[in-house]
Amino acid sequence: MLMPTKHIKTENALIGVGAELLALLDMSKTASRLFHDLQEERRRNEITTIHFDWFLLAVDFLFTIGAIRFESGLIKKMNQ
Amino acid sequence: MIIELTSNLGTFKTLKFKSGLNILVAERHETSGAKETRNGTGKTSFVELVHYLLSDKRNADDDFHKPEIIGSDFCGKFSDNGSHFLVCKKSSANTDVLKKDGKEITPKNLRKELGLRWFDLSDEDSAPTYGPKFGALIAYFVRKERNGGFASPIMNSTSQQGWDSQVSLSYLLGFDWRLPQKLQVKKDEKKDADTLAKMIRSGYLTDGALDVNKMQSRLDLLDTEVDAKRKEVTSTSVLDGYRRHEVIANDLTGRIRDLNEANLEDLDLVESIDLALREVEDASVADLKSMYEQVGIFFSDQVKKRFEQVETFHKQVARNREAHLKRERKNAAERLASRKKEINELQIGLSDKLALLRSGMAIERLTFLQSDLNRLEAEQTDLRQQLPRFRNVEEDRKRLGREINDLVDLIGQDVLEREGPRKAAVQIFAETSQFLYDEPGQLIVGKSSGVAGLSIETDIVGKKSGGKNHMQVFCFDWLLVEAAIKNDRFPGFLIHDSHIFDGVDGRQIGLALSLAKAKCEKLGIQYVVAMNSDDLQKIKSEEEVSGEAIFDPTDFIMETRLSDEPNGGLFGIKF
């Protein structure tokens, strides 16, 4: 789940998705916007899109390690 | 004058004439029944022969084309002013051959020549329609019983037209013949105008009189109507209207298509949102727990939040996402609803337009307008053409009516002003008739009471019988002779066949012959009269009864005598 395995590619492991999300959070975004941007980016890179629940878990992961925060409906990177 | 009538037909009895009075006697045979006619004796044939020589028409049914006669030459030797000429005609099955002095001549040219010679009738005078014609003039001096020439003094035949009598008599008596001639021309024009007016009237205004003003106002109305209609048709409003409908319909169809496409997109969106919403629901807390545990394993130093905090965060983001999706979904649903409403409205508009276009209402209206315009234009053209003609005809009729009345007045004026010829005519007629009946007859010349033109009426005393009528003809003819001589329009001879004395008393026959003799001597002319022997006998009987000498015809009876015996006629053949 968190880490890539024999059956889970890096880009699909939460740590991979989380890295992608951090790259997309150049500015604070709503969850939906961030989800939308992620899907776009993945389509552009010809990577399979992911379900929202998996995206949310990746966002939860980033929150758990203190990489992002949630402020008035917007997701922000911690150092911003 | 006529010198002789001859023929190469063996049995023909040559007739030789002297100047002055010539009496051609037809003997009535003792054995003839009272009812037997003497037509076979050829007195009439003698008059017919003169006509035959001068005629320009060939009558295949006359005596000269009978099998016994056909192919014979008939000649008349004439003289005037000392010069002689010979007119010969050979009857034939096809065309009769006419010769004057041995040279072939057409009847038309012979008549032209004789017209000038005998009647001083120039081409210019006889050329116009209703001008005096040789045939009509000669027929007064050689009356034909068969044509009713003795029925009326002023008519040379019963079939003679009024104008012909007026023109001919005016010519001979020295009145202005151009007036009755013109009168007849005007009458013809008026007749044409009347006919035309009648035609137009029956074609146009069946109800009531000719109303030019009514027609004019209809035309005025039509002018305006046609203009308006034409503008409506030629202006592009109708066509544009049609095209505008078409454009609008196309536009509507396009917009409806666009809206439907947008709706399909939104429906897809709604479907995907619904899917996303289910995904949000799927993001269960169970997975969250296993994620949190794995972070603790792999990044134990990095766990900055307690699980409760992460759980709260998770729920917040999920709700946030859900709210967003629901908003999106609601927007999409609203767009769909609004588009559906718009589509419905557009559809109603479109179906109206389509119905309009499909029904061809615009085209129909145009077609209707066009046919209406065509009909009005036809009537307008018709009226425009008819109206001037109509107006002209009406004016022509009025003008001709006036001109006819004017001409009749002029004829009356002419007769009044030409005192010489008029008084002479009245006097000669009075004297002649007085000689026969002891009382002067009346000749009344003047304009007719109606529009007939010249009116000549004769009346003499005497019994109301055929005899009286014939004596009026006799008196009138002698008047014509004297007047024509004065006007230099006399052929030199007067011919009467025996009918002139039909029903006339012996005394008057004798006096008539006596008068003729005196006139011939006085005027230096030739008078040829055919008589039945018993008419001559009547004179004798009258003389015997009264004991007074009336007239002795002996010296004037022609050498050649005709009779009612089988070969006694002019042709010597009974047929």
Side-chain angles (χ1 to χ4, degrees):
Chain A
M1 176 185 257
L2 186 60
M3 303 303 281
T5 63
K6 193 180 173 183
H7 303 290
I8 301 171
K9 289 179 183 172
T10 312
E11 68 249 32
N12 288 335
L14 290 181
I15 194 160
V17 177
E20 258 185 280
L21 287 174
L22 283 176
L24 289 172
L25 278 171
D26 50 339
M27 52 178 282
S28 51
K29 288 174 182 177
T30 61
S32 285
R33 167 73 192 281
L34 186 61
F35 179 59
H36 173 81
D37 288 353
L38 173 74
Q39 300 286 54
E40 285 243 305
E41 187 70 11
R42 291 177 75 95
R43 267 194 286 269
R44 203 167 56 77
N45 294 324
E46 293 178 350
I47 305 168
T48 53
T49 53
I50 55 170
H51 279 211
F52 184 77
D53 56 345
W54 200 248
F55 157 80
L56 189 51
L57 280 177
V59 173
D60 290 342
F61 160 66
L62 290 178
F63 179 75
T64 308
I65 61 170
I68 57 168
R69 64 180 192 277
F70 191 66
E71 244 175 46
S72 46
L74 293 173
I75 295 165
K76 287 180 181 176
K77 270 204 283 197
M78 214 51 190
N79 55 355
Q80 274 181 331
Chain B
M1 70 176 242
I2 308 174
I3 294 171
E4 61 176 8
L5 292 174
T6 58
S7 171
N8 64 356
L9 181 72
T11 51
F12 185 83
K13 297 186 173 59
T14 299
L15 298 176
K16 288 181 191 284
F17 305 93
K18 294 181 280 189
S19 64
L21 176 61
N22 292 264
I23 302 173
L24 176 62
V25 177
E27 298 281 1
R28 190 182 171 188
H29 203 265
E30 299 274 328
T31 57
S32 296
K35 285 185 179 171
E36 194 176 328
T37 63
R38 271 154 289 178
N39 287 342
T41 55
K43 301 183 305 292
T44 302
S45 302
F46 145 67
V47 173
E48 299 276 352
L49 176 52
V50 176
H51 274 284
Y52 174 68
L53 288 175
L54 304 175
S55 168
D56 57 351
K57 289 187 191 78
R58 182 176 173 276
N59 175 9
D61 295 330
D62 67 15
D63 288 351
F64 303 94
H65 296 87
K66 292 260 158 64
E68 298 89 341
I69 308 280
I70 201 158
S72 304
D73 273 316
F74 294 94
C75 295
K77 197 179 196 180
F78 299 88
S79 83
D80 66 274
N81 300 323
S83 71
H84 294 227
F85 62 91
L86 186 69
V87 177
C88 290
K89 205 177 217 177
K90 185 198 273 294
S91 70
S92 112
N94 298 316
T95 320
D96 298 352
V97 182
L98 181 68
K99 285 180 178 169
K100 180 174 172 275
D101 293 331
K103 276 186 200 160
E104 217 168 294
I105 188 169
T106 63
K108 198 181 156 210
N109 284 339
L110 177 70
R111 286 156 77 90
K112 210 155 115 183
E113 217 177 273
L114 294 179
L116 194 61
R117 196 164 187 158
W118 287 349
F119 298 109
D120 196 28
L121 185 63
S122 66
D123 272 357
E124 297 99 89
D125 284 351
S126 68
T129 319
Y130 307 128
K133 302 283 186 280
F134 173 83
L137 298 177
I138 193 71
Y140 277 104
F141 298 107
V142 192
R143 290 183 189 256
K144 259 188 186 177
E145 163 66 16
R146 198 168 56 185
N147 294 352
F150 293 99
S152 159
I154 62 165
M155 308 288 270
N156 60 21
S157 80
T158 41
S159 61
Q160 191 186 18
Q161 300 286 311
W163 66 264
D164 191 46
S165 161
Q166 290 182 33
V167 169
S168 304
L169 292 179
S170 294
Y171 186 79
L172 293 173
L173 292 172
F175 299 126
D176 190 348
W177 60 267
R178 280 182 183 82
L179 294 173
Q181 182 255 341
K182 224 182 266 171
L183 178 64
Q184 190 56 33
V185 170
K186 294 291 172 197
K187 279 181 179 174
D188 275 10
E189 284 176 21
K190 175 125 192 318
K191 202 175 156 195
D192 286 349
D194 285 348
T195 312
L196 186 58
K198 210 170 160 189
M199 269 163 53
I200 295 170
R201 194 188 302 158
S202 59
Y204 249 96
L205 304 169
T206 42
D207 49 335
L210 307 175
D211 196 342
V212 181
N213 295 336
K214 208 166 159 188
M215 289 177 77
Q216 182 64 61
S217 60
R218 173 71 184 143
L219 181 58
D220 291 344
L221 193 73
L222 274 177
D223 285 346
T224 329
E225 220 173 310
V226 165
D227 274 357
K229 278 266 153 51
R230 197 177 287 147
K231 253 178 220 155
E232 201 177 340
V233 170
T234 53
S235 81
T236 48
S237 68
V238 172
L239 285 169
D240 275 359
Y242 185 75
R243 287 197 196 105
R244 206 170 57 235
H245 291 315
E246 214 173 21
V247 168
I248 290 172
N250 283 338
D251 190 41
L252 285 174
T253 315
R255 278 170 67 198
I256 290 169
R257 193 186 52 234
D258 289 348
L259 287 170
N260 275 328
E261 275 173 14
N263 272 3
L264 281 176
E265 269 175 37
D266 270 343
L267 280 173
D268 276 351
L269 181 65
V270 168
E271 206 179 322
S272 69
I273 287 170
D274 285 347
L275 194 69
L277 276 171
R278 272 200 302 279
E279 283 175 14
V280 173
E281 274 170 35
D282 286 348
S284 64
V285 183
D287 287 329
L288 182 64
K289 198 146 196 164
S290 77
M291 182 275 293
Y292 190 80
E293 281 167 2
Q294 287 196 10
V295 172
I297 294 165
F298 291 103
F299 308 103
S300 53
D301 301 343
Q302 302 297 321
V303 177
K304 293 284 184 336
K305 304 285 178 188
R306 284 174 285 115
F307 181 71
E308 291 77 28
Q309 283 177 299
V310 175
E311 199 178 20
T312 308
F313 172 81
H314 173 90
K315 282 179 181 163
Q316 270 181 336
V317 174
R319 242 196 330 274
N320 190 269
R321 166 68 176 165
E322 198 179 18
H324 169 77
L325 285 176
K326 282 187 173 163
R327 215 166 40 242
E328 288 289 300
R329 195 186 187 284
K330 193 176 162 240
N331 286 345
E334 275 171 8
R335 282 199 304 275
L336 278 168
S338 122
R339 280 198 205 99
K340 265 181 189 155
K341 200 179 156 211
E342 200 180 345
I343 287 171
N344 278 341
E345 281 165 5
L346 291 174
Q347 216 112 38
I348 291 167
L350 178 65
S351 60
D352 279 356
K353 294 290 171 203
L354 286 177
L356 186 76
L357 291 174
R358 216 174 293 127
S359 76
M361 248 181 82
I363 293 293
E364 231 166 57
R365 171 94 182 122
L366 179 65
T367 315
F368 172 74
L369 276 175
Q370 189 63 58
S371 71
D372 210 25
L373 176 66
N374 289 347
R375 186 179 55 76
L376 290 175
E377 276 180 335
E379 194 186 342
Q380 184 191 33
T381 315
D382 210 19
L383 264 178
R384 211 172 260 164
Q385 279 174 352
Q386 294 283 0
L387 197 53
R389 271 174 75 200
F390 195 63
R391 186 158 275 149
N392 287 347
V393 164
E394 275 304 278
E395 277 164 15
D396 281 356
R397 288 179 71 210
K398 280 183 199 151
R399 176 179 55 78
L400 288 167
R402 280 196 303 272
E403 284 178 359
I404 285 170
N405 284 330
D406 286 352
L407 276 169
V408 174
D409 282 346
L410 275 175
I411 288 170
Q413 204 66 33
D414 179 67
V415 172
L416 263 183
E417 280 170 13
R418 285 175 203 258
E419 226 171 85
R422 188 187 79 248
K423 278 190 175 163
V426 171
Q427 208 177 327
I428 294 163
F429 189 81
E431 280 172 9
T432 315
S433 49
Q434 190 172 19
F435 188 84
L436 299 180
Y437 290 97
D438 297 326
E439 262 184 63
Q442 272 192 313
L443 178 84
I444 304 153
V445 194
K447 69 160 187 170
S448 62
S449 53
V451 291
L454 179 67
S455 159
I456 299 175
E457 283 174 38
T458 57
D459 194 20
I460 58 171
V461 219
K463 288 182 287 182
K464 282 183 182 171
S465 64
K468 178 184 163 183
N469 264 344
H470 290 151
M471 281 303 98
Q472 290 200 60
V473 173
F474 182 86
C475 295
F476 188 77
D477 280 357
W478 279 105
L479 152 67
L480 271 187
V481 168
E482 279 205 59
I485 288 171
K486 264 184 200 147
N487 295 310
D488 201 15
R489 289 166 184 178
F490 182 61
F493 55 87
L494 172 67
I495 296 174
H496 282 153
D497 88 3
S498 60
H499 294 285
I500 192 76
F501 295 129
D502 278 356
V504 179
D505 290 346
R507 178 178 166 80
Q508 270 69 43
I509 296 174
L511 289 172
L513 289 176
S514 165
L515 178 83
K517 173 188 167 266
K519 291 269 186 194
C520 283
E521 281 164 4
K522 180 182 146 203
L523 303 168
I525 64 142
Q526 182 184 46
Y527 177 55
V528 182
V529 61
M531 288 183 77
N532 294 321
S533 54
D534 49 2
D535 279 337
L536 281 176
Q537 192 54 48
K538 272 191 198 171
I539 307 173
K540 245 181 208 165
S541 312
E542 189 71 33
E543 282 176 330
E544 278 162 13
V545 171
S546 66
E548 144 195 30
I550 303 171
F551 182 70
D552 181 7
T554 320
D555 293 344
F556 307 98
I557 291 172
M558 287 168 62
E559 218 172 285
T560 308
R561 284 176 175 242
L562 305 176
S563 85
D564 57 358
E565 284 182 322
N567 297 320
L570 184 65
F571 297 115
I573 303 167
K574 191 117 181 168
F575 48 81

